[in-house]
Amino acid sequence: MSGDSHIIEPVDLFKTRLPRPLRDRALWEEEFTLDEPIVEGGHTEFKKLHTIGFDGWTISKYRQTGGETPDGEPDHIIRDMDFDGVDASVMFPNLSLFVLFTDDHELSMAHCRVWNDYLVERYLPYKERLRPTAAIPLTDVPAAVAEIERIARAGLGAILLPEIPPLPYWSREYDPVWAAAQSLGLPVFFHVATGGVFVKEQVSETATTVKGLMTAMNMGKGQLTDDMVSGRTMGGGNTASASPQGIIAALVGGGVCERFPDLHFNLTEFGAGWLVSYMGMMEKSWRMGIGQDPDWWLGFWDDSRPANDQPSMGRLFAINDKWPYPLKPTEYVQRQIHVQFADDPTAVKARHITGLSTITWGNDYPHAEGTFRSSADCVAFNFEGVGDDDRAAILGGTLADVAHFDKTKKLAKAPETV
């Protein structure tokens, strides 16, 4: 099962469905075809995005060789899943990810309602194999709760929240959101490159992240410099791990997992190889280290104050044994947090440390950086020597439990040539 797949939206979905006063601010996509490819034998069909912070963002259309070009039609998604051997998929927006979470509540909520209604209309009949995520803006908490309740009544079974929220996820202002999701049995998904869009400034934090990938993408055009190779080696072209670590820290350290023990949180398209070292540091942060001096002080001394009144001095390790919750930090991660990866053998190798349920697989269909059309090869590479039970859990068992798929039977049909 795939914990990360995408629905290619109609290019005019929002232009035709937003309330009329907002249609001039709608996200829309422009498709165009080149007479000649940019490089010999290359792609000729492209999409250009028009939206706040991402205007002009252009991609080649997906997988124009080796089969039919994915187009978002549910029957075609199922066809491609069968080809790739995928039984069921959690589905996310495609380019509309970039407009669903802005600092303009009216604009975001209008786009999200159009998206959510489109999911109900077009994809619910395929819910045995497709689990589309309903987008929920957090710019107004009561409105977010109302939308969660609305989409649950309509039959949708998962919610999508932004990577970059208006307030940190430890904020207790979000407790009504967590309570609504938990009471309705809706798992929470955070997808990379969502949120952080500022309408008045016409900028986006996520666009800055995406633009940063251009260096990696343009490396092959000329001579590689030491700086390019160093930078590529540092990040491997992937999103940095600081963001998903921050989300986990907020959910665990902010007591969200303690207060809402039945709620499951899924971090999507961040890779997962970093999780093992991060979980180690979470534990180290909340215990007195071997050899550490609990009475060691440091800071800035104020000669105008008495020794017993030095507000800028403190004992560095005094907080280490004051973890405020009954479970250890990593026990909350193992109980409620799931990090999706596509091609990350380190994450698989570390499963005995992180816990089997902390990682889930996904093919990132139909994105060029994903494994679609080659998922069998990817699985063979990532799971070499892994036992059947562990393979089954990471490749679908955990996700089935979280997203409420049927794992008792094989759903993918024998693939046809596409």
Side-chain angles (χ1 to χ4, degrees):
M1 296 181 183
S2 172
D4 179 30
S5 299
H6 294 265
I7 293 171
I8 299 176
E9 315 89 340
V11 295
D12 61 351
L13 176 66
F14 301 103
K15 276 287 189 184
T16 58
R17 298 197 183 201
L18 279 184
R20 290 190 181 279
L22 292 175
R23 289 184 184 178
D24 62 341
R25 303 170 65 197
L27 175 145
W28 62 286
E29 300 171 29
E30 174 187 355
E31 295 185 343
F32 62 95
T33 302
L34 302 178
D35 292 332
E36 299 289 340
I38 298 173
V39 297
E40 186 176 353
H43 289 199
T44 59
E45 296 181 52
F46 290 82
K47 278 189 176 186
K48 183 188 294 185
L49 182 64
H50 298 282
T51 192
I52 299 159
F54 285 87
D55 198 62
W57 175 248
T58 302
I59 61 171
S60 55
K61 291 177 71 174
Y62 301 115
R63 310 292 183 183
Q64 296 170 47
T65 59
E68 298 290 335
T69 300
D71 57 11
E73 285 297 311
D75 286 328
H76 296 168
I77 294 174
I78 297 293
R79 173 202 66 198
D80 291 343
M81 289 167 62
D82 289 344
F83 178 87
D84 220 30
V86 173
D87 290 318
S89 294
V90 176
M91 309 298 296
F92 298 93
N94 192 43
L95 296 183
S96 60
L97 280 171
F98 301 140
V99 77
L100 297 172
F101 306 104
T102 77
D103 63 346
D104 184 321
H105 177 70
E106 182 185 23
L107 185 66
S108 291
M109 185 57 82
H111 277 85
C112 285
R113 284 177 177 149
V114 167
W115 165 256
N116 296 340
D117 288 344
Y118 178 65
L119 296 180
V120 173
E121 167 193 315
R122 198 75 185 91
Y123 296 92
L124 266 191
Y126 301 83
K127 64 182 179 181
E128 183 181 40
R129 298 188 63 183
L130 303 181
R131 186 75 70 246
T133 52
I136 307 295
L138 296 174
T139 37
D140 182 302
V141 169
V145 172
E147 184 65 5
I148 290 171
E149 293 171 344
R150 187 182 79 89
I151 64 94
R153 288 194 301 270
L156 295 177
I159 63 173
L160 171 64
L161 301 183
E163 172 192 357
I164 303 173
L167 297 171
Y169 278 121
W170 50 256
S171 301
R172 301 230 173 186
E173 286 87 340
Y174 292 142
D175 275 9
V177 172
W178 311 133
Q182 179 174 264
S183 68
L184 294 165
L186 301 175
V188 177
F189 289 82
F190 308 95
H191 196 285
V192 72
T194 52
V197 178
F198 303 101
V199 171
K200 290 182 180 179
E201 293 85 353
Q202 294 281 307
V203 297
S204 166
E205 291 182 39
T206 52
T208 301
T209 299
V210 174
K211 289 174 183 177
L213 298 176
M214 292 307 298
T215 299
M217 287 189 283
N218 284 316
M219 279 184 182
K221 289 185 176 179
Q223 182 68 34
L224 290 177
T225 66
D226 292 343
D227 178 56
M228 286 180 178
V229 176
S230 176
R232 178 71 173 180
T233 303
M234 177 67 181
N238 293 323
T239 303
S241 60
S243 179
Q245 290 175 5
I247 294 172
I248 293 174
L251 296 173
V252 174
V256 178
C257 292
E258 169 62 22
R259 295 194 300 278
F260 303 95
D262 297 325
L263 195 54
H264 286 264
F265 301 95
N266 305 267
L267 288 85
T268 304
E269 209 170 323
F270 292 100
W274 50 266
L275 183 62
V276 61
S277 60
Y278 179 58
M279 290 178 68
M281 290 309 299
M282 291 175 77
E283 289 295 297
K284 180 66 164 58
S285 298
W286 291 103
R287 67 171 176 84
M288 192 64 66
I290 297 172
Q292 289 181 341
D293 180 355
D295 196 42
W296 192 69
W297 293 75
L298 82 166
F300 292 90
W301 194 271
D302 187 344
D303 290 330
S304 69
R305 292 174 174 269
N308 63 356
D309 183 22
Q310 292 291 326
S312 295
M313 293 293 296
R315 289 181 296 172
L316 180 62
F317 308 117
I319 195 174
N320 286 30
D321 59 359
K322 297 185 183 299
W323 175 247
Y325 304 113
L327 300 183
K328 294 179 180 180
T330 56
E331 290 175 332
Y332 288 109
V333 175
Q334 291 169 340
R335 187 178 76 180
Q336 293 172 256
I337 306 259
H338 316 280
V339 183
Q340 177 269 332
F341 71 97
D343 182 4
D344 193 344
T346 298
V348 179
K349 290 182 174 70
R351 68 193 183 280
H352 301 302
I353 301 173
T354 60
L356 194 59
S357 69
T358 62
I359 55 173
T360 60
W361 179 83
N363 64 356
D364 195 18
Y365 169 86
H367 289 172
E369 68 271 26
T371 67
F372 170 55
R373 296 193 187 282
S374 300
S375 291
D377 293 337
C378 179
V379 169
F381 174 72
N382 280 260
F383 289 83
E384 183 178 4
V386 177
D388 290 344
D389 290 346
D390 286 8
R391 285 169 62 100
I394 298 169
L395 290 172
T398 296
L399 184 66
D401 292 337
V402 169
H404 312 300
F405 286 122
D406 184 355
K407 61 181 180 181
T408 65
K409 57 184 178 180
K410 182 70 178 171
L411 299 174
K413 299 177 182 177
E416 299 177 0
T417 302
V418 294

